[in-house]
Amino acid sequence: AQSVTQLGSHVSVSEGALVLLRCNYSSSVPPYLFWYVQYPNQGLQLLLKYTSAATLVKGINGFEAEFKKSETSFHLTKPSAHMSDAAEYFCAVSPSGGYQKVTFGIGTKLQVIP
Amino acid sequence: DAMVIQNPRYQVTQFGKPVTLSCSQTLNHNVMYWYQQKSSQAPKLLFHYYDKDFNNEADTPDNFQSRRPNTSFCFLDIRSPGLGDAAMYLCATRGTGGPDTQYFGPGTRLTVL
């Protein structure tokens, strides 16, 4: 069984400030981990994914995430928030190895204050 | 350039009136999914197809059915929509052979009057 916990359903940052969105996972086998972004009335778009290669993963739009096995975490960061980053962000997990079901977290809504 | 297309983007139906949502893909992916997403919640998997093999989630209501006539198309049928079925419905596809990403369509927002 696998699950993810996203801490903070709403996060507000000032434009130009650091963005930190937290995700902790639980998985009985080595996981694959994903971050998706969803803009209003749109589908989900992949930001980045961890697939057991490098633990620091760089994604689109300046986002990155670090896989920390000891902390069972996969937090999403961006050094400087932009107004266009305002959206909902979902962390997701699936077991590694072949086709497996993906489990999503409840999402974190990011607000960027000008 | 669109890879996963959903029609319509917005659908209004009446309580109890059957409705069909459609999804098509140009990625030639084996796996197609239907998710239900209610406001401020995570997407909830309803079912998926691995090629023609249909897999229903245990808690998906019988009111929801699906068809996949070929690789490119997949349909979600809601036989008797209730007010609780108002949601965004997301279609996604995934390739096989590794940790391939799920590609999502833009969704269909269903309103039940």
Side-chain angles (χ1 to χ4, degrees):
Chain A
Q2 73 256 4
S3 65
V4 289
T5 302
Q6 291 185 242
L7 299 174
S9 58
H10 289 81
V11 170
S12 292
V13 300
S14 298
E15 191 175 16
L18 171 73
V19 176
L20 171 61
L21 305 182
R22 299 178 188 273
C23 174
N24 288 89
Y25 70 90
S26 172
S27 180
S28 54
V29 297
Y32 292 144
L33 293 158
F34 308 83
W35 275 101
Y36 285 87
V37 61
Q38 186 178 34
Y39 298 99
N41 289 315
Q42 295 291 327
L44 277 68
Q45 180 185 6
L46 182 73
L47 279 177
L48 49 79
K49 62 183 178 184
Y50 166 77
T51 58
S52 73
T55 56
L56 182 62
V57 182
K58 294 187 184 298
I60 62 171
N61 301 339
F63 285 92
E64 64 181 38
E66 187 171 7
F67 173 73
K68 291 187 177 180
K69 185 178 178 181
S70 61
E71 299 177 8
T72 61
S73 69
F74 191 59
H75 302 330
L76 181 70
T77 61
K78 181 174 180 178
S80 177
H82 193 273
M83 296 298 295
S84 60
D85 295 326
E88 190 149 23
Y89 293 80
F90 291 92
C91 182
V93 63
S94 75
S96 59
Y99 164 75
Q100 297 283 355
K101 177 180 167 181
V102 175
T103 302
F104 288 87
I106 64 169
T108 297
K109 197 163 285 187
L110 177 66
Q111 180 186 21
V112 182
I113 303 166
Chain B
D1 289 321
M3 296 182 289
V4 183
I5 302 160
Q6 291 189 244
N7 285 305
R9 293 293 314 279
Y10 299 90
Q11 175 74 58
V12 180
T13 190
Q14 292 180 334
F15 183 95
K17 185 175 180 182
V19 66
T20 295
L21 311 182
S22 73
C23 177
S24 63
Q25 54 131 338
T26 60
L27 296 163
N28 203 34
H29 280 167
N30 302 77
V31 190
M32 293 187 78
Y33 306 79
W34 279 106
Y35 288 90
Q36 179 192 64
Q37 187 183 24
K38 297 189 175 180
S39 181
S40 299
Q41 294 185 21
K44 176 181 179 298
L45 183 64
L46 295 173
F47 23 63
H48 73 271
Y49 282 90
Y50 190 114
D51 291 325
K52 286 191 175 292
D53 291 335
F54 176 72
N55 298 272
N56 202 31
E57 292 299 298
D59 57 353
T60 298
D62 292 339
N63 197 26
F64 291 86
Q65 303 286 320
S66 183
R67 297 170 282 137
R68 190 180 186 186
N70 54 51
T71 300
S72 301
F73 286 88
C74 196
F75 299 96
L76 171 62
D77 301 307
I78 308 177
R79 293 191 298 186
S80 182
L83 298 179
D85 297 327
M88 175 77 92
Y89 289 87
L90 297 168
C91 174
T93 73
R94 185 176 181 180
T96 55
D100 284 339
T101 306
Q102 288 192 29
Y103 292 87
F104 283 82
T108 295
R109 182 162 298 281
L110 178 67
T111 300
V112 181
L113 302 178

